[in-house]
Amino acid sequence: MTELLHMQDCYLRRFEAQIIEVVPEAGGVVLDRTAFHPLGGGVDDDKGMLVADGHKFIVNGVRWVEGKPVHLIDDVTGLSPGMKVNGEIDWPRRYLLMRTHTAAHLLEAMIYNKTGALIGSGRVSVDSSYLGFTLDEMDKDLILGAVEEANQWVDKGAKVNISFMKREDALKDPGMVKLAGKLPPEVSELRIIEIEGIEKQACGGPHVGDIKELGAIEAVDLKNKGAKNRRLYYKVT
Ligand SMILES: [Zn+2]
């Protein structure tokens, strides 16, 4: 099983690893450990490169294939299990994903506090990111007010902490029980992301260490996407 290094340290850009499997059908390799964030949880995957035996291999993305994160490479010729590799993620891309995704946590908390509405959908990418709220009506003032409030928090700053909680303990925590109950039985541990004093939730994505790093959140567009789905397009600047 691949150790996902970003789960402990989202700021790790370079790492050493070993190839455990070459997957020619998928066009990529599986490593014993990786700092790359695979596509998932509504957050785009990392790109970057692997260097093996003095040769550079561009990583076009990382996708889950049969439960394994496969680093997608155009041509896997020359790569074989057991080889050592040096990996490096495309940091400007990743850092933007980290900031944009952490902004999603913050916006979600602001809207939830005002309305009790949850996130029904969402996407974090470097091109276009949105959050879909389960609100009955499109309330422009409310949503833009939430963005403004989020920006006030960003100016003040708050630490973003990573911790891990056993499933059985999460089931006893009133704030976590709903989520823990929905997880498949094989998930024994939850990764908890807490924006100090603001919100706490289970998430496997990449985050910044302090919301100050978000800079500013800008609402780009608001769209109605059918019943109970109000979409806020946003970016961090
Ligand atoms: Zn997250």
Side-chain angles (χ1 to χ4, degrees):
M1 206 161 94
T2 306
E3 185 189 354
L4 296 174
L5 301 168
H6 85 275
M7 295 288 271
Q8 299 277 358
D9 181 4
C10 295
Y11 289 83
L12 187 68
R13 306 176 198 192
R14 293 180 198 91
F15 63 100
E16 288 176 10
Q18 197 171 1
I19 296 175
I20 51 177
E21 192 181 342
V22 178
V23 192
E25 322 78 78
V29 295
V30 181
L31 305 175
D32 62 343
R33 58 207 294 272
T34 186
F36 283 79
H37 170 257
L39 179 73
V43 183
D44 272 7
D45 43 345
D46 287 323
K47 296 176 189 283
M49 69 170 178
L50 299 176
V51 178
D53 224 2
H55 298 285
K56 258 190 208 175
F57 296 84
I58 300 297
V59 177
N60 300 311
V62 182
R63 303 292 161 93
W64 290 100
V65 179
E66 291 172 3
K68 298 170 201 164
V70 176
H71 299 68
L72 303 176
I73 290 166
D74 285 338
D75 184 359
V76 294
T77 308
L79 295 174
S80 56
M83 279 176 96
K84 297 248 187 276
V85 297
N86 286 294
E88 184 171 348
I89 59 175
D90 174 343
W91 179 249
R93 174 187 165 86
R94 152 63 87 78
Y95 191 52
L96 182 56
L97 292 173
M98 278 161 63
R99 292 170 61 227
T100 309
H101 175 59
T102 309
H105 278 248
L106 189 56
L107 290 167
E108 182 177 356
M110 299 297 113
I111 298 273
Y112 180 77
N113 290 344
K114 282 171 183 284
T115 65
L118 296 168
I119 299 294
S121 60
R123 167 98 198 267
V124 172
S125 79
V126 292
D127 307 314
S128 171
S129 300
Y130 68 83
L131 282 171
F133 299 102
T134 56
L135 288 168
D136 287 325
E137 302 290 332
M138 171 61 92
D139 188 333
K140 199 178 161 192
D141 291 342
L142 181 135
I143 294 176
L144 295 181
V147 175
E148 202 180 304
E149 209 177 308
N151 277 317
Q152 288 164 8
W153 280 109
V154 170
D155 288 343
K156 276 188 239 167
K159 281 213 170 76
V160 182
N161 301 318
I162 302 174
S163 61
F164 296 86
M165 193 187 244
K166 286 211 165 11
R167 181 199 181 92
E168 66 231 47
D169 294 331
L171 287 168
K172 291 177 207 146
D173 183 325
M176 289 287 138
V177 64
K178 250 190 174 171
L179 189 120
K182 275 193 292 186
L183 292 171
E186 63 270 22
V187 177
S188 59
E189 196 176 54
L190 284 81
R191 178 176 181 252
I192 310 294
I193 301 301
E194 180 192 22
I195 305 179
E196 269 184 18
I198 302 173
E199 74 124 29
K200 191 163 88 166
Q201 64 168 286
C203 182
H207 311 86
V208 293
D210 193 299
I211 58 171
K212 266 204 166 130
E213 294 177 52
L214 302 187
I217 304 168
E218 193 184 312
V220 176
D221 201 3
L222 290 169
K223 279 184 186 162
N224 273 312
K225 285 281 174 182
K228 278 196 171 250
N229 190 2
R230 315 292 155 221
R231 213 176 254 192
L232 163 68
Y233 288 83
Y234 71 98
K235 62 179 180 182
V236 290
T237 55

